[in-house]
Amino acid sequence: MTHGLLELKEYRPLLDEILQSGGVLRIYPHGISMLPFLREGRDSVDLGKAESIIPGDIVLYTTKTGKYLLHRVLRVKDGNLDICGDNQCLADRMVGVDQVAAKVVCVYRDDIRFDPKTPSYVAYVDGIIRHPILHSLKIFLMHRIGLTAKMN
Amino acid sequence: MKIKSDYKLRTLAKQNIVIATGAASHTFNGMIKLNETGAFFWKSLEKGCTTEELILKTMETYQSDEATVRESVLQFIETLRKEGVLEEEGI
């Protein structure tokens, strides 16, 4: 019996079954696209069924090339989503809701649980979705001066 | 002794994987991979059996000696108990 790291793409049927049963699946995101909010090796998230999606939600979705990404929804319009990593300047636009596999229902930082209603979480998310252009500009400038590496 | 109904064994890409569904998924994080023998234990426990029944069934199926089988079965059951996967009515 082993506990192992799994590729979501391969295990999508199992993820769907868990979510359909009303369950959640804990995953450990990797990469830097959601810094400083999600840090590889420190944070994990519970994925739940994406019954409703509003700006600020973090969703697991598939790109048109079939890649799975865990990024934040910036805008919802006409059934399509603009989605962007917190550490990215350019959003993935016109993502269909059918491309969304799940959404983050809570975040664990060093095993302390935060749900999306936590005041500090709400304040952080508000700063991004109310001023997406300002946020993009900030990230762009941070990348230009090489701050991303320090955030790692 | 039986596997709780919220836990399911699935086979994907020739791998045996246990997932927690519904309420159980809120306390059980992730998935468990089982080898062939583990899957055999699991399927037997899904139907419900005692430790002794499982040992006998395994000895018959794998033609192994009792000591080896007993050790594997007890270890497997202990792991499931720790994970809270077993329903043990009447014990």
Side-chain angles (χ1 to χ4, degrees):
Chain A
M1 186 186 298
T2 58
H3 293 260
L5 291 172
L6 306 171
E7 286 293 332
L8 269 171
K9 192 176 177 178
E10 294 171 83
Y11 294 89
R12 176 68 190 270
L14 301 184
L15 171 66
D16 288 344
E17 185 176 352
I18 292 167
L19 300 187
Q20 288 303 325
S21 72
V24 296
L25 179 67
R26 183 99 159 254
I27 63 163
Y28 296 80
H30 62 89
I32 60 166
S33 64
M34 281 299 286
L35 282 172
F37 190 72
L38 295 177
R39 191 180 297 267
E40 184 175 334
R42 179 192 66 180
D43 303 325
S44 59
V45 300
D46 271 352
L47 295 176
K49 200 173 174 183
E51 284 172 326
S52 63
I53 300 170
I54 57 169
D57 284 343
I58 300 173
V59 293
L60 177 75
Y61 72 105
T62 49
T63 63
K64 284 170 185 160
T65 57
K67 193 176 178 187
Y68 278 78
L69 296 175
L70 191 72
H71 285 167
R72 193 180 302 280
V73 175
L74 296 181
R75 196 166 74 140
V76 181
K77 194 182 176 190
D78 301 330
N80 291 309
L81 315 169
D82 289 349
I83 304 179
C84 191
D86 288 1
N87 191 32
Q88 293 182 315
C89 320
L90 295 174
D92 203 353
R93 298 195 187 280
M94 300 291 283
V95 175
V97 286
D98 56 330
Q99 288 172 250
V100 175
K103 84 173 187 180
V104 170
V105 291
C106 72
V107 176
Y108 297 87
R109 180 161 300 165
D110 295 325
D111 283 333
I112 299 168
R113 187 180 190 277
F114 293 88
D115 77 43
K117 289 175 186 164
T118 306
S120 55
Y121 188 118
V122 172
Y124 171 82
V125 172
D126 268 5
I128 295 173
I129 60 172
R130 281 179 195 272
H131 308 287
I133 296 170
L134 199 63
H135 178 74
S136 292
L137 187 64
K138 184 178 92 180
I139 297 297
F140 175 75
L141 291 172
M142 284 167 73
H143 287 189
R144 290 282 289 187
I145 59 175
L147 272 180
T148 307
K150 287 184 184 172
M151 288 157 77
N152 278 325
Chain B
M1 181 167 52
K2 208 174 175 181
I3 302 286
K4 288 179 183 170
S5 60
D6 273 355
Y7 294 90
K8 319 273 188 197
L9 175 65
R10 297 286 179 260
T11 306
L12 199 69
K14 296 180 184 173
Q15 291 186 86
N16 297 299
I17 296 162
V18 173
I19 57 170
T21 61
S25 69
H26 293 265
T27 50
F28 181 89
N29 298 322
M31 302 175 184
I32 303 171
K33 282 187 198 176
L34 296 179
N35 61 17
E36 189 200 325
T37 318
F40 174 81
F41 293 159
W42 184 277
K43 285 171 189 166
S44 304
L45 288 166
E46 261 181 342
K47 293 172 194 159
C49 64
T50 64
T51 304
E52 292 307 314
E53 284 168 346
L54 182 55
I55 290 169
L56 280 175
K57 203 174 166 186
T58 308
M59 283 167 61
E60 283 169 17
T61 306
Y62 291 96
Q63 306 290 312
S64 295
D65 65 281
E66 187 181 344
T68 310
V69 170
R70 185 173 291 279
E71 190 187 342
S72 302
V73 167
L74 292 178
Q75 195 180 11
F76 187 81
I77 289 172
E78 185 54 29
T79 307
L80 294 190
R81 278 201 181 113
K82 279 183 189 162
E83 298 283 1
V85 173
L86 283 179
E87 208 167 55
E88 300 183 81
E89 280 177 30
I91 291 179

